[in-house]
Each structure stands twice: as C-alpha cells, then as structure tokens.
C-alpha cells in the first residue's frame, strides 16, 4: 500500500457512498470497465434555504479534498463566467485545456498536453478575419485568404498575449525553446543532455562547454524554427486529426478523409485549410448567436478536449504513458446550473461520447441544485426518488454502487437513438434529504497514488541517474581508452597505436606523434637535426601528397621510443634514412608515384614487436596503399611471430640490421639486407684461423648475454655461431660463460670474466655475444682482472658494435694487449657513392631551426666516415626503402602489397650506398645471398679509439673472404681479401 496522506470525515452521511464510489472509480481505473461516467449528485428535495444543495456541494468538495493529496490530476471548475451558457461552457473547456491542473507537476507522469485544443484555439483567434463585418466587403475566397494569412502569422498556434503581441511573443518563445532543450523529459532535452555527457566524457570540460554551447544554439534555432514555421505541420497528430475526423466531414468541400496523406503535403494542406475556414465560419456564427453553430462549436471543443485526453492515455506509445497513468483525470463541479454553462457542458460531453462511441478517461463529479433539470425540455417537475428498474434510493451505499453497475450494463443500449431523451453517460445519483441532514459520517483515509515501474522510463530522476551513470561511464570509458590508446577518447579513438608499459606502440596515424619533443640529434655533421624535426619532416612530406597523386605507403617499424631519449638513436638513424629516400623520390626526382611514410614503434629494444605488428596488419587491411614494412632491425624472441602476423596481412618485410639466420628460412615475406649471424661468423672465421694458427692449442671461449626480459634472441644466435666459428678456426674449446643484466640494466660481468681469466690456460680468443652497450664494461674487466690483464687477447663480436659512436664522446678504453674485431653490415667505402652523402647532408641541414649553425662533413672526400653515417644504419634503411619502393611500382603505376611482394624477387636496385641490392636469385624459405659486410678492427692508440676496415664486400657480391697469400705470420695485423 502507498503512504497515507489524508484522513478525515465529511460530516455528512451521504458522503460515505459517494466517497466509496469515487474511490472505486479512481483506484480501480485499470481494473474497471474502460468507461468513466459523469457522476451527477442531486438532492431529492428542494430546500428554500439551499442547505441541502450546499451539503451536496460539500460532498463534492469532500471528495476533492480527500483525493488532492494523493497526487491525482484534477481540476475544479466554478463555472465559466460568460454572459450566456454557451460562452460559459466554452470558457470551462478552455480552462481545462489552457490552465494547469492540480498536481500536474507531482503526479504519476508529466502534465497533460492539448495540441488539438490549441489548434482550435488558434483558429478561434483568427476567426475575426471572416467575421460578419467583412462579409459585405470581401468575397469568400478573399476571406479565406485573410484567415489563412492570419493563421500563418500565428504559426497555427494560439497567441496568449495582447496589445504589443509581437514584442511579447519573442521572449517567451526563446524561454520556451531553452526550456525544451534543457528539459530531460523531452526528446530534444534527452538528446542534448546525452550529447553533452558524451562530450564531457570524451573531451573534457572545455570540449563539453564549447560543444554544449554549439548544440544548445542549434537545438534552440531548430526549436524556434519549428515553433515559428512548423515545416511538418501536416504530419502532426493534431493536424492529422483535424484533417481526418468525420466530425468535420459535413463541413468539408471534399469530405473524404482520404484527402489527407502523409505522402502528399499539398493535398493535405488543402484539406486542412478548407476545414479551418469552415470551422472559423461556424465560430463567427456562434459568436453572432446562431444556436446551431454554438452547439457545433461547443461539441467540437469538447471533442478536441476528449481526444487530447485519450492521446494522453494512449496505450501504444513509446513513453508507456498508459502504464504510467493508472488513475483518470477528475473534474469537480461543486455547483452546475443552466446559467453558468455547467449543465450544458455535461450534456455536451455525454452527447459527444455517444456520437463518437469512443472511450476517454475523463471522470466528472458534479453537484446539481435540486431545482435544476438535466434536460431543459423535460417539464420542471421533481425527479422521483425511485426510477423504474432502479433500487430504492434510501440505501445510499447500495444505491450508488448498484446504480454504477446498472449504468455500465445499460450504457450500450442507452446510446441508442431510440432513447435520445436520456443522457447515457451521466451516472445520476439522487441523494435523499435525510442522508444530507444526518451529520454522522465515518472516518475515511486516502493513500498516495503509487507510481508504476514504467514511470522510470523518461522520468527526471531516472534520467538523472542515467545521466550520472552515463557521465561516470563516459569518464571511465574515456579514462580506459586514454590509457589504452595513444589517442584514446570516448568518441573517435585512434586504434592504430596503443599504450604498452607507458609507451606508445603501433602506427602513428592521425595526430599521434612518436618523437614529439625528442631533442636527440644526429651525430657528426647532423648536429642539431633532432628526432622531432625528422618526424615533422616526414609528416610534411606526407601532407604534400595531393588528393589526386598516386602514392604508396611504406611503414617503418623499429624502436622509436625509449625510457631515455639517448636510447632512441637507432630509431633516429633508421628513420633518417627512410626520410632521405622519401625526399629523394617525392621532391628531388619528383617521381609520379609518391611515397607516404608511416612510423610504427615497437618501443625500446623492440620489446613490443608483436603488438606493433598487429597494429600494422590491421591498418594494412583498411588501407590498401600500404605495400610493405621497412625496419624490424632487432632480432628478438618474438620477431618471427611478428613477421608472421605481417605475412598474414600480405605485407613483405625488408629488414635493415636484423641478422637473424632463421627468418629467411622460415618466412617467405622476409627480405633482409643484413648479413645473417652465420654469414658474420663465416667472415670472421678467416681472421680467427690466422690467429689460431700462430699458437697451437690456444683456447677460445664464448661469453654471451643470457636472454631475460629484453627478449634478445640476437645474443643467443651469436653465441651459437661464435662457438662453432672458434671450433672451426682451430681454437680449443673453453667453457662458455653467460652474464645477466642488473635491475638498472648494467651488465654483471665480474663473475664470468673472473672465471674466464682464472682458467688455465687463459683463452687467447673470446667471442662476445653481447650488445654494444656492454662492450666498455667488458674491456674494463679484461684490463683489470688478474689472468687477463696484460695478456694478449683477441675479442670477436657481431654487428651490434657498429651502433657505437665513440668518436662522439662515448667512453671505450681498450687495453693495449686486446684486439677487437667486429662485423659491419654496410661497407660504405666499397660502394663509394660520394654524391649520396653530400646530397643527404644538404637535405638534413634544411631541417635545422632558422638561424642554427650548420656542421660541415669532417672529410668531404670520404663523407661516409663522418659520424652522421658511420654506423651504417641510415644507409641501410635508405637502401631498404629504395628496394621496397622499386618493387611497389610498375612504371608509374602503384602496385598492391601482393604485387610488391612478388616483384621483390625480380628487380635488383643498383647504385645504392651499400651496392646493388636485390633478391632475384633467392628462393622462399632459403638463405638469401649477396649481403654486404665488412670486418672492422678496433684499437686504442694514443688515447683515441681507431677503427680500421680490414676487408669486406659490397652488396650484390657473393665472393667469399679469404686469407692473404704468403708465409705463415706474414701479416701481424691479420687481414683478408675477396677471392
């Protein structure tokens, strides 16, 4: 049960039966038959003092007071106050349509709306344009045009102002527009608040503020436009009712209801205008005193009222209004007479209901003085207390309930034309005088009308909760997306890159910048050219490609970010090479097929190469201009899986510095420019054999970095091939040692170096399967550990040492007795294309900030020796981009990724900085040949690190390296040459 809100007594015994009947009609609205009567109370005796009539009115007021605290939508009418019954009745109808009802804001659902009544009110206001004073001046067509012009000025809506109406109408219109927009119970308000919550969750308060202001302005303009000039007026329910109701059919020029069609606005408008003119004529005639027109006008207004109430209780509506409103609207008439129009209104409601045979929810409780008669044509005689076929009226409780049951039973027959003298919709309840005089009455109570669960739909509290949940979900969703993607937001997240361990991994598309703010600059003659500047230059080249230009998209995949900017040098140098070729193709030679470059990041040391590959593959499936990937220059335990993901997307991969031996054997889409680990070992074998031949029985040991969280598969492969190389060279095998990295990333070499130097005999050769950043610590340990200190030891290592730049301030102290040999992937001196380096330096100098000092090449005759190029990573990425671009076009026509993949095995590219690069002689799932490489000897002389190229070969050559001829030990520095 609901909360009790009222307890009291009427003080009149007759009120008990009426209270019980009204409670049944109200509380049982959904369970009772779908008809609501016009309950009329009347004393059976006339009293000259009017005491009995006042007691009947007191019963009506008692019922009203008991029901009002419950939240019942009700209205009390005390007459119309017009000069005649017709005007008073019309005025009471207008009060119901145009004034607020009791509890309109605290009821089960929102207040009633009366669009049909408002349409008729607008026609009434425009009716003077066809009044009697202009009939002699204007023709019917002219009067009709005047009416329609006035209705257009009113926008087919009633005007509540007077005097300066135009000035008074603007401010309420604006206020109504703003109120409609911010009202969450309406469609516009709910949409506006939903959009505002999405903006607030997606872009923060600034975006929500500006977006909300813009949305509010747009909504208000649309609302004002619809209010001032409704463009779809003929589609509205009220207008459709006006054009199709058969009540107005006799007045229409073309009475067929089919004249209205939602698909034919012109025809529909003609019907609406014609009926509006006919109704306006009837209104004018009614105001002039025509009794037939008055009856028509009043019935039309009552019909519109009842139709509006039916619409407010329509069962099949999106807002479930019929399930929300479980009680009927009630109108109280404490005293109705013929003069105040009350009786005329009751008769009209009954007549309209009988004529239309439609059920509406309106419940009326009226009190009629004993001297009044419901039918004026009936002779003025007292109404008998007992009517034929009705029970005794002395038993009020039995009489009221039984009369209702009998009324429901006889309602259908009561509407028959043969019983026209009756008012079938009026439930007449005569009250004996004794029941009115008896002051005893029982105590009654009422409970608050409970809202149904359907009330939650579109209710303000529910919308507030939904809005709060939506905002919370928006904030959480935005926070989640912002923590998952580099450019993550609730709307329009960029899924081409994501956040992994705080770093942006994936493809930099949209507004994502991987090197933004990275001030690390190139070495040597590239001083001042920062990572940020190179990335901006690539984006500028991409933006310069016109919408009609043919282009292919090449993705660079590598370690673009790191915890420290200094650790992004590899990515910087490789991206510089990619940019140099992009500029060469797009600007320097102005190729018809342009290159668009996208940067893909796998984070420091390529630790997130698999997620990066997934992002590239997803992008390639959407963007068919992506023809391949350049980079993947570090061999990790996940590199093969990543390349397989790219293979699944149909993308070939042109590797730069990745020397993994297994990739070409297991993956048909792998095209590596770097010599493999096995090729490196075979090349170093030439030097190692000469050293082993000088001292029979000399031992060789392998020192390798163990694979940990860095997933470094390169060191594992280097340890494998290094051990085999030392054995083939003739060194006696010594126990292999491994080392780990500390929590700070420093190599822990003390123990393994101590074991190596403490062995007997001490190894003469050491193959170091580690990384370049561990070499300074290794040399320090060899120079200070007993057993190795002061002893001649030759250290071999792979190609990773080429990344070092000891001439740029990096610390490396090689003991005098130690000789270091490492492998280089780009023997630039053998290709000797001086023009490339000069042009590349000039292009890079354009990226310097305005007014910045330019650094010249250290040796213009041998520019490849400058620290800008000496690592070889720039020329390798330049060459890889050139190879992929050459395969990506057929003449001047761009090719697909599949065609590019196929052409990589057919067309070698000559005149590159490392030689001629091509894969024409290679087969899928087999070793690839023709890689460029060189052997470099590093020594420490005069306080400086000196690097000397011992021997090597350019790309495209397959000649093996061999030892020089001559007697044993002829060359103390150990050299080699091409066969």
């Amino acid at each position: 049960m609901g909360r009790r809100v009222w307890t009291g007594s009427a003080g009149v015994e007759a009120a008990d039966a009426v209270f019980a009947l009204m409670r049944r009609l109200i509380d049982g609205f959904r369970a009772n038959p779908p008809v609501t009567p016009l309950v009329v109370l009347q004393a059976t005796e006339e009293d000259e003092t009017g005491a009995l009539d006042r007691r009947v009115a007191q019963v009506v007021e008692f019922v009203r007071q008991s029901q009002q605290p419950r939240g019942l939508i009700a209205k009390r009418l005390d007459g119309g106050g017009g000069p005649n019954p017709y005007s008073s009745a019309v005025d009471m109808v207008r009060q119901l349509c145009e004034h607020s009802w009791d509890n309109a804001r605290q009821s089960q659902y929102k207040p009633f709306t009366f669009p049909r009544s408002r349409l008729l009110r607008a026609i009434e206001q425009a009716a003077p344009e066809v009044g009697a004073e202009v009939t002699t001046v204007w023709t019917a067509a002219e009067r009709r045009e005047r009416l329609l012009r006035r209705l257009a000025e009113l926008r087919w809506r009633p005007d509540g102002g007077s005097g300066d109406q135009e000035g008074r109408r603007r401010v309420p219109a604006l206020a109504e527009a703003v109120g409609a927009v911010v009202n969450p119970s309406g469609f516009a308000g709910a949409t506006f608040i939903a959009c505002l919550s999405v903006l607030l969750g997606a872009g923060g308060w600034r975006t929500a503020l500006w977006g909300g202001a813009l949305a509010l302005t747009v909504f208000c303009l649309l609302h004002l436009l619809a209010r001032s000039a409704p463009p779809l007026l003929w589609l509205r329910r009220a207008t459709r009712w006006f054009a199709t109701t058969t009540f107005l059919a006799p007045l229409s020029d073309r009475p067929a209801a089919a004249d209205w069609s939602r698909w034919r606005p012109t025809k529909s408008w003609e019907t609406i205008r014609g009926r509006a003119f006919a109704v306006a004529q009837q209104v004018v005639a009614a105001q002039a005193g025509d009794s037939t027109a008055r009856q028509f006008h009043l019935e039309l207004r009552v019909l519109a009222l009842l139709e509006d109430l039916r619409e407010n209780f329509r069962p099949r509506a999106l807002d479930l209004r019929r399930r929300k409103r479980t009680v009927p609207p009630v109108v109280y008439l404490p005293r109705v007479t013929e003069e105040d129009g009350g009786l005329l209104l009751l008769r009209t409601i009954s007549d309209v209901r009988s004529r239309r045979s439609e059920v509406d929810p309106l419940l009326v409780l009226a009190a009629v003085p004993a001297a009044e008669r419901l039918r004026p044509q009936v002779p003025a005689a007292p109404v008998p207390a007992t009517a034929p076929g009705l029970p005794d009226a002395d038993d009020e409780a039995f009489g009221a309930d039984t009369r209702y049951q009998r009324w429901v039973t006889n309602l259908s027959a009561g509407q028959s034309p043969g019983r026209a003298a009756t008012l079938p919709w009026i439930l007449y309840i005569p009250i004996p005088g004794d029941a009115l005089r008896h002051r005893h009455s029982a105590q009654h109570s009422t409970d608050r009308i409970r809202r149904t669960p359907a009330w939650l739909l579109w209710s303000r509290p529910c919308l507030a909760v939904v809005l709060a949940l939506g905002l919370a979900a928006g904030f959480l969703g935005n926070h989640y997306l912002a923590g998952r993607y580099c450019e993550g937001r609730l709307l329009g997240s960029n899924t081409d890159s994501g956040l992994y361990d705080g770093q942006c991994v994936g493809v930099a598309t949209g507004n994502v910048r991987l090197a933004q703010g990275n001030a690390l600059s190139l070495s040597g003659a590239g001083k001042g050219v920062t990572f940020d500047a190179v990335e901006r230059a690539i984006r500028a080249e991409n933006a310069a490609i016109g919408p009609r230009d043919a282009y292919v998209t090449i993705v660079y995949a590598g370690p673009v970010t790191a915890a420290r900017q200094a650790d992004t040098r590899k990515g910087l140098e490789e991206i510089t090479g990619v940019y140099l070729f992009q500029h060469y193709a797009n600007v320097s030679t102005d190729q018809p097929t342009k290159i668009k470059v996208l940067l893909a990041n796998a984070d420091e040391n390529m630790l997130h190469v698999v997620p990066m590959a997934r992002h590239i593959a997803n992008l390639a499936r959407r963007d068919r201009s992506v023809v391949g990937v350049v980079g993947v220059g570090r061999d990790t335990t996940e590199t093969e899986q990543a390349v397989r993901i790219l293979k699944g997307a149909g993308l070939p991969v042109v590797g730069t510095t990745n020397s993994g031996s297994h990739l070409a054997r297991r993956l048909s889409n792998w095209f590596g420019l770097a010599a493999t680990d096995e090729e490196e070992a075979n090349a170093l074998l030439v030097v190692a054999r000469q050293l082993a031949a000088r001292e029979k029985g000399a031992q060789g040991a392998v020192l390798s970095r163990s694979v940990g969280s860095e997933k470094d598969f390169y060191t594992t492969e280097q340890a494998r091939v290094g051990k085999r190389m030392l054995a083939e060279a003739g060194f006696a095998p010594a126990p292999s040692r491994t080392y780990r990295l500390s929590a700070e990333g420093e190599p822990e070499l003390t123990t393994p170096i101590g074991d190596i130097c403490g062995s007997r005999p001490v190894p003469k050769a050491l193959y170091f399967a580690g990384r370049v950043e561990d070499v300074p610590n290794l040399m320090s340990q060899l120079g200070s550990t007993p057993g190795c200190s002061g002893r001649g030891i030759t250290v071999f290592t792979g190609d990773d040492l080429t990344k070092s730049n000891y001439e740029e301030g990096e610390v490396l102290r090689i003991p005098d007795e130690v000789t270091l040999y490492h492998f280089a992937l780009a023997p630039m001196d053998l290709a000797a294309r001086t023009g490339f380096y000069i042009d590349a330096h000039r292009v890079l100098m354009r990226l310097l900030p305005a007014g910045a000092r330019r650094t010249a090449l250290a040796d213009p005759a041998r520019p490849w020796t400058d620290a800008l190029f000496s690592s070889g990573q720039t020329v390798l990425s330049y060459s890889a981009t050139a190879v992929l671009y050459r395969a990506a076009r057929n003449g001047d026509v761009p090719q697909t990724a599949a065609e590019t993949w196929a052409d990589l095995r057919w067309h070698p590219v000559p005149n590159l900085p490392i030689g001629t690069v091509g894969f024409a002689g290679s087969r899928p799932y087999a070793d690839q040949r023709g890689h460029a490489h060189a052997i470099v000897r590093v020594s420490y002389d005069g306080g400086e690190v000196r690097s000397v190229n011992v021997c090597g070969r350019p790309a495209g050559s397959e000649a093996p390296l061999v030892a020089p001829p001559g007697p044993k030990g002829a060359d103390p520095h150990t050299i080699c040459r091409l066969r």
Side-chain angles (χ1 to χ4, degrees):
M1 294 184 61
R3 176 173 55 89
R4 181 159 298 179
V5 294
W6 181 89
T7 301
S9 172
V12 179
E13 184 178 357
D16 296 343
V18 178
F19 178 85
L21 175 62
M22 292 299 293
R23 182 170 58 184
R24 175 181 178 179
L25 293 176
I26 294 172
D27 294 345
F29 177 66
R30 299 178 66 177
N32 289 335
V35 290
T36 51
L38 308 176
V39 181
V40 175
L41 309 179
Q42 187 178 38
T44 58
E45 302 177 16
E46 293 189 23
D47 183 9
E48 295 181 359
T49 63
L52 295 182
D53 292 338
R54 288 193 295 273
R55 297 281 176 85
V56 176
Q58 181 181 346
V59 172
V60 175
E61 183 63 21
F62 165 72
V63 174
R64 189 187 74 84
Q65 292 179 357
S66 65
Q67 296 294 331
Q68 184 176 9
R70 307 183 63 197
L72 179 72
I73 296 184
K75 185 74 172 177
R76 172 177 171 169
L77 298 177
D78 295 315
N84 50 64
Y86 156 75
S87 300
S88 297
V90 171
D91 181 67
M92 284 190 284
V93 174
R94 290 173 179 167
Q95 291 183 46
L96 294 175
C97 301
E98 301 172 11
H99 298 166
S100 298
W101 291 52
D102 298 337
N103 297 317
R105 299 290 178 182
Q106 291 82 32
S107 63
Q108 292 177 300
Y109 191 39
K110 62 184 181 181
F112 293 144
T113 57
F114 300 91
R116 296 163 182 80
S117 300
R118 286 170 55 83
L119 176 61
L120 293 182
R121 181 60 176 158
I123 296 175
E124 291 174 355
Q125 291 179 351
E129 300 297 332
V130 298
E133 65 275 7
V134 298
T135 55
T136 58
V137 180
W138 306 95
T139 64
E142 292 172 333
R143 285 185 288 122
R144 170 172 167 162
E145 187 61 31
R146 284 168 55 89
L147 172 73
L148 298 178
R149 187 182 304 113
R150 178 56 182 157
L151 283 173
E153 293 175 357
L154 293 173
R155 312 305 179 191
W156 292 78
R157 288 182 170 86
D159 184 5
S162 60
D164 185 13
Q165 296 175 347
E166 189 65 27
R168 293 187 180 186
R169 192 164 57 242
R170 290 177 180 175
V171 174
L174 181 60
E176 180 183 349
V178 176
V181 172
V182 299
N183 180 13
S185 62
F187 175 77
T191 305
F192 170 74
I193 293 176
C195 294
L196 185 63
S197 62
V198 169
L199 288 174
L200 187 60
W205 70 270
R206 293 182 183 273
T207 303
L209 178 63
W210 290 106
L214 179 62
L216 180 63
T217 303
V218 172
F219 273 126
C220 287
L221 289 176
L222 293 177
H223 184 82
L224 288 172
L225 178 63
R227 183 186 186 280
S228 58
L232 303 178
L233 181 62
W234 91 93
L235 293 178
R236 295 186 174 183
R237 289 183 180 272
T239 314
R240 182 173 60 186
W241 165 82
F242 185 74
T244 57
T245 178
T246 56
F247 192 91
L248 296 176
L251 297 179
S252 302
D253 296 335
R254 288 173 294 183
D259 282 352
W260 180 91
S261 172
R262 62 168 48 92
W263 311 116
R264 303 183 65 180
T266 303
K267 183 177 181 181
S268 302
W269 267 112
E270 183 61 30
T271 301
I272 294 170
R273 293 188 180 104
R275 290 194 170 193
F277 180 65
V279 171
Q281 287 180 312
Q282 292 294 321
V283 171
V284 170
Q287 293 173 349
D290 189 319
S291 59
T292 303
R294 286 184 171 182
Q295 183 67 21
F296 167 81
H297 180 215
L298 180 58
E299 289 186 359
L300 180 60
R301 287 305 304 260
V302 169
L303 173 63
L305 168 67
L306 298 182
E307 288 290 334
D308 285 332
L309 289 175
R310 289 181 65 243
E311 179 68 19
N312 283 282
F313 281 79
R314 185 162 54 96
R316 291 176 293 276
L318 293 178
D319 58 357
L320 302 181
R321 59 187 66 172
R322 183 62 182 87
R323 300 186 67 85
K324 295 177 181 179
R325 292 175 171 137
T326 61
V327 293
V330 181
V331 173
Y332 301 103
L333 299 170
R335 178 181 174 84
V336 293
T337 63
E338 196 69 46
E339 289 76 13
D340 67 5
L343 287 176
L344 177 60
L345 177 61
L346 291 176
R347 289 195 294 267
T348 304
I349 294 175
S350 180
D351 292 344
V352 169
R353 284 181 171 179
S354 297
R355 179 175 175 179
R356 305 300 299 166
S357 296
E358 292 176 340
V359 177
D360 61 81
L362 181 63
L363 176 61
V364 178
L365 178 61
V368 180
E372 296 289 341
R373 297 295 177 263
L374 296 180
R375 281 289 186 181
Q377 63 267 29
V378 176
V383 178
T386 305
L390 294 178
D392 232 355
D394 292 336
D395 189 353
E396 292 80 9
F398 177 77
D401 186 72
T402 303
R403 284 176 183 273
Y404 170 69
Q405 297 291 345
R406 184 64 60 86
W407 174 82
V408 171
T409 303
N410 296 335
L411 182 60
S412 297
Q415 298 182 84
S416 302
R419 302 190 62 182
T422 65
L423 296 173
W425 285 92
I426 291 181
L427 174 57
Y428 178 70
I429 300 180
I431 304 178
D434 293 341
L436 293 172
R437 295 186 184 96
H438 192 192
R439 304 296 295 178
H440 174 74
S441 178
Q443 287 286 324
H444 298 283
S445 62
T446 55
D447 300 329
R448 177 75 182 181
I449 297 175
R450 307 181 71 172
R451 288 171 171 166
T452 63
W455 166 80
L456 293 174
L457 181 64
W458 303 113
S459 66
R460 286 184 175 88
C462 179
L463 287 176
V465 172
V466 172
L467 177 60
L469 293 176
L471 287 174
F475 278 117
L476 293 176
N478 190 69
H479 179 73
Y480 169 75
L481 293 174
R484 182 177 181 182
Y485 300 110
C486 306
E487 193 179 10
R489 49 181 176 266
L490 199 59
L491 292 178
S493 289
N494 185 346
T495 59
D496 291 333
S497 55
L499 292 174
Y500 298 83
D501 298 334
Q503 295 294 334
C504 186
V505 173
V507 188
T509 59
N511 295 323
V512 175
R513 290 279 309 278
L514 296 174
Q516 186 172 12
N518 192 336
L520 179 68
S521 66
L522 293 169
S523 303
K527 281 290 186 182
V529 179
T530 64
F531 208 151
D532 181 85
V534 176
E535 183 187 36
R536 284 189 284 106
I538 291 176
R539 293 172 67 89
E541 293 284 354
N542 294 340
I545 299 175
R548 296 186 178 181
D549 291 339
Y551 70 93
V552 293
T553 300
I554 293 176
V555 180
Y556 165 78
V560 184
T561 63
R564 299 184 307 144
Q565 289 186 358
D567 295 331
T568 61
R569 180 165 299 279
K570 176 178 177 59
L572 169 59
E573 293 184 353
E574 289 192 330
I575 287 175
T576 300
V578 175
Y579 164 68
L580 287 173
F581 187 82
Q582 181 189 30
H583 184 273
Y584 170 80
N586 292 359
V587 179
S588 299
T589 58
D590 192 18
Q591 296 293 325
T593 300
K594 307 299 182 182
I595 300 178
K596 180 180 179 181
V597 173
L598 296 178
L599 304 185
N601 180 36
D603 197 17
E604 184 176 2
N605 296 328
M606 304 286 285
L607 293 180
H608 298 100
V609 65
V610 171
M612 178 198 69
R614 292 196 180 103
H615 285 294
I616 296 174
N618 292 335
L619 174 65
R621 293 185 180 99
R622 302 194 318 268
D623 186 356
R624 294 301 179 182
S625 71
V626 178
V627 295
V629 177
V630 167
V632 194
R634 185 182 178 96
D635 192 16
T636 70
T637 56
E638 296 177 342
T639 300
E640 183 176 339
Q641 179 185 355
V643 179
R644 287 190 185 277
I645 293 173
L646 297 175
K647 178 182 178 182
L651 296 178
V653 180
V654 181
T656 51
T657 61
N658 194 323
S659 59
S661 304
H662 59 104
L663 297 175
R665 297 170 183 168
R666 298 181 184 178
L667 300 163
S668 59
N669 65 321
W670 176 260
F671 301 87
L673 267 63
T676 64
D677 296 320
E678 293 180 356
E679 288 180 286
E680 294 181 14
N682 291 334
L684 290 173
L685 178 61
V686 176
V687 176
R689 279 176 175 167
Q690 299 177 63
L691 294 175
R694 295 178 183 174
E695 185 176 344
K696 293 297 183 180
Q699 290 190 347
V702 175
L703 176 61
S704 62
R705 180 198 282 189
S706 61
V707 177
S709 60
E710 68 278 2
K711 307 175 184 178
D712 189 6
F713 194 63
Y714 165 82
T715 57
T716 302
E717 284 290 281
Q718 283 286 309
R720 179 180 65 82
V721 299
K723 185 175 182 180
R724 179 179 58 81
M725 185 272 290
L726 291 177
E728 291 184 6
F731 288 101
S736 300
R737 306 293 179 179
T738 61
Y739 67 95
R740 297 181 179 180
L741 298 181
S742 65
E744 293 76 21
E746 295 296 328
E748 297 179 345
L749 291 169
T750 304
T751 300
I753 293 296
D755 293 341
I756 292 174
C757 296
S759 61
R760 294 294 179 266
V762 176
K764 299 290 292 183
L766 176 64
Y767 198 99
F768 180 66
R771 288 292 180 177
V772 60
E773 57 267 23
D774 304 338
V775 172
N777 196 311
L778 171 66
M779 294 300 164
S780 177
Q781 292 286 341
L782 291 177
S784 60
T785 304
C788 293
S789 178
R791 187 179 296 270
I793 298 177
T794 301
V795 178
F796 297 95
T797 187
D799 61 87
D800 200 57
L801 201 64
T802 56
K803 296 189 300 183
S804 65
N805 193 11
Y806 300 115
E807 297 178 4
E808 291 292 310
E810 295 186 18
V811 179
L812 177 63
R813 175 67 169 85
I814 301 178
D816 295 337
E817 298 80 9
V818 175
T819 304
L820 174 62
Y821 288 93
H822 72 84
F823 196 82
L825 300 174
M828 294 170 281
D829 57 333
L830 299 180
R833 290 191 61 238
T834 306
F836 161 77
Y837 302 99
I838 302 298
D839 293 340
H841 177 257
R842 184 176 61 253
V843 170
L844 293 175
M845 289 301 99
R846 296 173 184 169
L847 304 183
L848 290 173
R853 180 181 178 183
R854 297 188 176 186
T855 305
L857 292 168
D859 184 2
R862 295 172 56 83
W864 54 84
T865 61
D866 194 279
L868 174 60
F869 306 107
S870 61
S871 69
Q873 297 188 105
T874 297
V875 296
L876 279 171
S877 60
Y878 177 92
S879 302
T881 308
V883 170
L884 185 59
Y885 173 71
R886 173 62 184 85
R889 62 190 180 97
N890 183 5
D892 295 336
V893 180
Q895 299 199 116
T896 63
E899 293 169 331
T900 301
W901 185 345
D903 273 9
L904 278 170
R905 299 191 183 276
W906 288 97
H907 300 289
V909 181
N911 301 322
L912 292 177
I914 60 173
T916 300
V917 178
F919 304 92
S922 62
R923 294 179 294 108
Y925 307 105
D927 291 330
Q928 296 165 352
R929 301 184 297 273
H931 298 127
H933 57 258
I935 298 175
V936 181
R937 182 175 63 242
V938 182
S939 60
Y940 193 76
D941 186 11
E944 293 183 358
V945 176
R946 299 186 181 277
S947 298
V948 177
N949 285 358
V950 176
C951 61
R953 71 182 186 191
S957 172
E958 297 185 14
L961 299 180
V962 297
K968 176 179 173 182
D971 192 332
H973 298 293
T974 312
I975 62 172
C976 60
R977 64 178 176 82
L978 286 177
R979 176 178 296 175

